[in-house]
Amino acid sequence: MKNNNFRKSGLAIAMMAAMGASAGANAAIELYNEDGTSFSVDGYFNAFYVNRDDKVADVRNSDVKMGFLPNTIGFNFSKEMGDLTLGGRSSFWSTINDSLQSPTDTAIDVRQLYATVDGSFGQVLIGKDFGLYARSNIFLDEILMGFGSPGAATGVSFGNIRTGYPYPNPSAQITYRTPDMGGLNVAAGIFEPANTTPGAQSEQSAPRFEAEVTYSADLNGVALTGWVNGRHQSSENATTKIDSRGVGYGVKAAVAGLSLTASGFTSKGDVPVLITDAALASEEDADGYLIQASYTLGANRFVLSYGETDSDQGNFETENTSVAVFHDVNSNFKLVAEYNMFEQETKSTGVKTADANTLALGAVVMF
C-alpha cells in the first residue's frame, strides 16, 4: 500500500522515532486496499497518573491526565491515478483533561486536515499540518511519548516546548517536499501568517515562509540524522512592524542501543513557545537547546534529558531535567515512568515564577 500521506504525518514521525523503524508496520490499520485505492486508520491513546509538587505555590496536586501527545485518531486516504498518487489525512486530537473542571466539554483539535499529490517530482501538500520550523526538534524528542515539563496544574503538559524548542504550530499551508536524494530531503512552503501587530491598519502583506532540510546516513553502523529548519514572516500596523524569524537545528546519532541527540534554536521577533495572533511579538532575541541520551536494553528504553530556553522576547529563562523509562509490553503497548524538574524565572527581575517536580506514571496504546 502506498501510504505517503501517513508517512509524512506528525504522528507517524512521532511513532517511528519512539518505537524504531518497525513502527511503520504497526502504525496504522488498513481497512481497504483495492484497485489502487486504500484507506487506513491510526490511533494513539494515553493516560498518566501525575503527582506535581509546586514549590513556588507550595501546593501538591494529583491528577489523571494525558501526556505530552494528546489522544488522537487519524484517517488516511490514498489513490493511484496514473503517474500520480493522491492522498489525504485528517486527524483529531482530543484531551482527557476536562474531567471535573469542564465535564462533557472535551475539546477536539483538528491539527491535520490535508491532501497530498505524490509523483516522481516529490510531494505537494495542501491544507493544515504541523509547521516545518522546529518540526524535527520536537518529533525527534526522546520523551515525546512521555510527559515532560508541566503546564498549569490542571492543564496540558508542555514536553520540552519552552525548554529547548518552540512549537511547530499546525497551520494552513502549501508545502513542497523533494524526493529522497540519497538521504537528503528538503521541504519548503508558504503558511498562513500570524497577526503579531494587532491594531489599526494591521496587515501581513506576504505569507509566512518555512523550510526544513534533513539528512540521514549510516556510517559504519552509526545511524546519523541531521536537520536545519527555519521560518520568516512580517506583520505591521499603523505604528509597528515586527519581522519574525527563527532557525532550528539538531543532530542525532545512534549505535548499538545508544542514542545521543543535541538540538537547539535561535530566533528574533518570534515567540519562543508558539506564535499565534494572541501572542504579541517584539523584535527581541530568544534561544534554547536540548541535549538527550537514551539507551535501549531489550524492551526498556532509558532516557536522560536536559533543556533550556533564554528569551528576551518573553522575558523568561526556563530549564527542565527529565529522567524516564519506557517499557514496551509489545509493539502497540508501552508503559512509562518519568520524573521532571522544571524551573522558570523572570529575566528582568530574577524572580522565580515556577519550581515544580513532577512524577508521571502512564500507559500508551497505539495502532
Side-chain angles (χ1 to χ4, degrees):
M1 178 181 72
K2 289 188 177 181
N3 204 5
N4 296 308
N5 49 329
F6 180 74
R7 283 193 299 103
K8 300 295 186 181
S9 75
L11 183 59
I13 296 173
M15 286 180 169
M16 287 186 279
M19 297 185 67
S22 64
N26 299 315
I29 296 175
E30 185 178 87
L31 302 181
Y32 181 85
N33 188 3
E34 290 186 13
D35 301 323
T37 301
S38 64
F39 174 64
S40 65
V41 178
D42 58 85
Y44 181 89
F45 308 96
N46 72 103
F48 286 78
Y49 164 70
V50 181
N51 188 284
R52 179 186 181 193
D53 181 12
D54 188 331
K55 299 177 182 179
V56 171
D58 193 25
V59 296
R60 181 181 291 272
N61 286 293
S62 287
D63 296 286
V64 176
K65 58 198 306 183
M66 64 190 182
F68 182 33
L69 287 178
N71 289 6
T72 308
I73 187 165
F75 303 94
N76 310 285
F77 312 87
S78 181
K79 183 174 181 63
E80 296 182 27
M81 301 288 290
D83 294 333
L84 300 177
T85 299
L86 307 182
R89 176 172 173 82
S90 58
S91 70
F92 304 89
W93 305 58
S94 181
T95 181
I96 65 170
N97 296 353
D98 48 8
S99 301
L100 301 178
Q101 285 73 40
S102 52
T104 71
D105 189 26
T106 300
I108 296 177
D109 183 1
V110 182
R111 302 190 189 185
Q112 296 171 305
L113 187 60
Y114 61 76
T116 54
V117 180
D118 284 83
S120 59
F121 56 85
Q123 182 192 78
V124 175
L125 180 150
I126 56 173
K128 182 180 182 181
D129 192 19
F130 292 95
L132 300 176
Y133 173 53
R135 187 183 183 98
S136 291
N137 299 56
I138 186 171
F139 288 142
L140 294 178
D141 185 348
E142 292 279 5
I143 64 166
L144 187 65
M145 290 189 173
F147 194 79
S149 67
T154 56
V156 298
S157 67
F158 281 3
N160 280 306
I161 296 172
R162 73 177 173 169
T163 57
Y165 50 69
Y167 182 53
N169 296 54
S171 303
Q173 61 186 272
I174 302 172
T175 298
Y176 168 71
R177 289 177 169 84
T178 65
D180 182 85
M181 299 175 289
L184 178 67
N185 291 271
V186 180
I190 56 173
F191 292 70
E192 173 71 12
N195 180 8
T196 57
T197 55
Q201 298 179 319
S202 178
E203 67 174 19
Q204 299 78 46
S205 58
R208 188 167 84 241
F209 297 95
E210 298 197 12
E212 181 173 60
V213 178
T214 62
Y215 180 72
S216 298
D218 190 298
L219 301 179
N220 298 321
V222 179
L224 294 175
T225 300
W227 66 90
V228 178
N229 49 54
R231 76 172 165 208
H232 179 272
Q233 76 150 63
S234 293
S235 181
E236 61 182 304
N237 59 24
T239 60
T240 305
K241 181 179 180 180
I242 299 293
D243 288 320
S244 302
R245 54 189 179 272
V247 175
Y249 49 86
V251 62
K252 181 173 184 175
V255 59
L258 176 65
S259 178
L260 302 175
T261 306
S263 66
F265 78 96
T266 182
S267 65
K268 188 177 184 66
D270 192 75
V271 180
V273 181
L274 69 162
I275 186 170
T276 67
D277 285 351
L280 305 184
S282 61
E283 290 195 344
E284 299 287 347
D285 297 327
D287 59 76
Y289 68 89
L290 179 67
I291 52 176
Q292 298 180 312
S294 73
Y295 185 72
T296 301
L297 182 63
N300 301 301
R301 182 166 62 94
F302 305 90
V303 178
L304 179 62
S305 172
Y306 178 79
E308 289 187 3
T309 290
D310 184 328
S311 175
D312 293 334
Q313 197 282 325
N315 192 26
F316 68 80
E317 293 180 339
T318 59
E319 63 178 59
N320 188 63
T321 302
S322 301
V323 180
V325 179
F326 296 83
H327 174 73
D328 290 337
V329 178
N330 55 49
S331 60
N332 296 85
F333 180 31
K334 187 186 300 288
L335 300 177
V336 184
E338 185 178 321
Y339 191 74
N340 297 281
M341 294 166 282
F342 172 75
E343 294 184 7
Q344 178 171 319
E345 69 175 41
T346 302
K347 286 194 66 173
S348 59
T349 63
V351 174
K352 185 175 291 188
T353 57
D355 186 355
N357 294 343
T358 304
L359 172 67
L361 305 173
V364 175
V365 174
M366 67 194 77
F367 63 84

